[in-house]
Amino acid sequence: MLSLHHHLPGTTTNANLQFPPTTHLRHSTPFPKTLTLIPPKPHLPPLTPKALLQWNRKPQLSGETPRVVVVTSGKGGVGKTTTTANIGLSLARLGFSVVAIDADVGLRNLDLLLGLENRVNYTVVEVLNGECRLDQALVRDKRWSNFELLCISKPRSKLPIGFGGKALTWLVEALKARGDGTSGNGNGSTGSRSPDFILIDCPAGIDAGFITAITPANEAVLITTPDITALRDADRVTGLLECDGIRDIKMIVNRVRTDMIKGEDMMSVLDVQEMLGLPLLGAIPEDSEVIRSTNRGYPLVLNKPPTLAGLAFEQAAWRLVEQDSMQAVMVEEEPKRGFFSFFGG
């Protein structure tokens, strides 16, 4: 004889399971004649940012391809090269064809962060001099074959006097004309084809190297940190980009420390967004793993398990694909401290 103490998990009183009419409860009213058995829910993994990226839909590529994006900041040391490496490989992992151009002529570092320094045999200088073909200068990543690196020159080498914005524009046009021009399919094929994204790692400053790097671009990702020196340089660079005709400018705030924001020792992401007035592509938390990944030539987004900074780079790449942005929000903390700014999706 069944009683309420023997209910199966997930059962309610209203369905099609019949009981004998003699069944009744001890010292109570007769037992309900019907029960509903609800099948157990399938096991689902915990809802985390990683789960959202891996098990949700694939991002839809927006805009005309190839999309030429310059990663710049004005101030040095804020994370331009780190951002280029991590977002580039994130895009490749999403199935898009990517070419990353290291436009920093004198201080080339993108190959080090990607672990490809020993494979750079030819550069753009040799291509312009007719010593090699363009496809010979492109270094394909072994981990993701739809990601390629192109360096402007080798360390301690001199660029041709005539190299400038026009030469880099010619180079980008040559990349666009590769293969049959197929782009946007996102299947990660290894054939020679026009890339979906061309990322240009811009050198620091606003001199000739900066002007050369931004010339072929039609959109920009501005990297800044929550300090006044970086913000002043970022504001100046924003004006220069707009004067050059680049209107699609999004911002990434790097090295965010929530403990300092709570203590009112650092500007929040919302403060930075209000000061610069730019759409927010991502907020990257401070992470000691950045130094380890840089020394190993192994970008953060490839770490297993991923770090918070690596997940933030993946989400920024997702938004870049769909030309989307995030919104910095206010989160209420302890009443004594009032409100502080934090970053949210």
Side-chain angles (χ1 to χ4, degrees):
M1 181 174 63
L2 297 177
S3 69
L4 289 179
H5 301 286
H6 298 85
H7 276 184
L8 295 175
T11 62
T12 60
T13 60
N14 182 16
N16 302 318
L17 184 62
Q18 300 296 328
F19 283 84
T22 57
T23 304
H24 63 276
L25 295 180
R26 186 181 308 168
H27 306 298
S28 65
T29 58
F31 195 90
K33 295 183 178 181
T34 58
L35 286 177
T36 297
L37 293 179
I38 300 177
K41 295 182 179 180
H43 175 70
L44 294 177
L47 190 61
T48 63
K50 179 182 178 182
L52 292 176
L53 290 175
Q54 289 186 349
W55 295 316
N56 206 345
R57 63 175 178 82
K58 178 182 177 181
Q60 300 297 318
L61 183 58
S62 176
E64 297 182 358
T65 56
R67 288 172 54 184
V68 185
V69 184
V70 61
V71 182
T72 184
S73 67
K75 188 177 186 300
V78 297
K80 292 185 300 296
T81 304
T82 301
T83 300
T84 304
N86 284 277
I87 287 187
L89 277 178
S90 294
L91 293 172
R93 294 177 67 192
L94 290 172
F96 301 104
S97 176
V98 182
V99 173
I101 301 177
D102 192 341
D104 195 337
V105 177
L107 301 173
R108 191 186 82 189
N109 290 318
L110 185 56
D111 56 332
L112 290 173
L113 269 67
L114 294 168
L116 301 175
E117 67 276 8
N118 296 326
R119 300 181 57 196
V120 180
N121 298 320
Y122 298 104
T123 64
V124 174
V125 173
E126 283 81 13
V127 175
L128 295 177
N129 292 336
E131 300 175 11
C132 70
R133 302 186 308 272
L134 177 60
D135 59 341
Q136 292 178 307
L138 288 165
V139 180
R140 180 167 294 169
D141 191 278
K142 291 182 178 180
R143 298 157 295 197
W144 296 92
S145 58
N146 52 337
F147 180 88
E148 295 173 301
L149 170 67
L150 181 62
C151 297
I152 298 294
S153 67
K154 295 179 180 178
R156 301 181 181 179
S157 66
K158 295 182 179 180
L159 275 178
I161 298 178
F163 187 86
K166 291 184 178 180
L168 189 57
T169 301
W170 171 86
L171 184 65
V172 169
E173 293 298 325
L175 290 172
K176 292 180 179 180
R178 291 178 66 200
D180 57 2
T182 303
S183 63
N185 52 16
N187 58 8
S189 61
T190 60
S192 177
R193 65 184 181 93
S194 178
D196 298 308
F197 287 90
I198 299 175
L199 303 181
I200 303 175
D201 184 19
C202 183
I206 54 174
D207 54 4
F210 169 80
I211 300 300
T212 298
I214 69 173
T215 299
N218 46 39
E219 54 186 297
V221 175
L222 185 67
I223 314 299
T224 186
T225 53
D227 60 85
I228 57 175
T229 55
L231 292 176
R232 171 185 283 181
D233 293 350
D235 185 62
R236 173 63 173 159
V237 167
T238 301
L240 294 176
L241 292 171
E242 292 176 346
C243 290
D244 198 63
I246 302 177
R247 300 294 179 179
D248 188 355
I249 308 172
K250 292 184 174 63
M251 171 183 63
I252 288 181
V253 183
N254 195 18
R255 297 175 184 169
V256 178
R257 291 186 56 179
T258 56
D259 57 335
M260 295 187 67
I261 294 175
K262 292 178 183 179
E264 299 180 357
D265 296 320
M266 174 182 284
M267 282 183 289
S268 68
V269 178
L270 183 59
D271 295 333
V272 174
Q273 188 177 20
E274 290 177 348
M275 292 180 65
L276 295 179
L278 295 174
L280 184 61
L281 189 65
I284 315 299
E286 181 73 39
D287 196 337
S288 60
E289 189 65 25
V290 173
I291 298 177
R292 298 188 187 95
S293 68
T294 300
N295 292 334
R296 292 185 301 163
Y298 198 80
L300 284 173
V301 294
L302 301 181
N303 282 7
K304 295 181 181 180
T307 63
L308 290 178
L311 290 174
F313 278 122
E314 287 186 3
Q315 293 172 345
W318 185 289
R319 298 184 188 100
L320 181 65
V321 170
E322 298 193 337
Q323 293 186 333
D324 196 4
S325 61
M326 64 182 290
Q327 179 64 43
V329 297
M330 299 290 293
V331 179
E332 185 177 2
E333 274 295 310
E334 301 175 4
K336 296 180 181 180
R337 305 292 299 182
F339 291 84
F340 76 97
S341 300
F342 191 53
F343 55 89

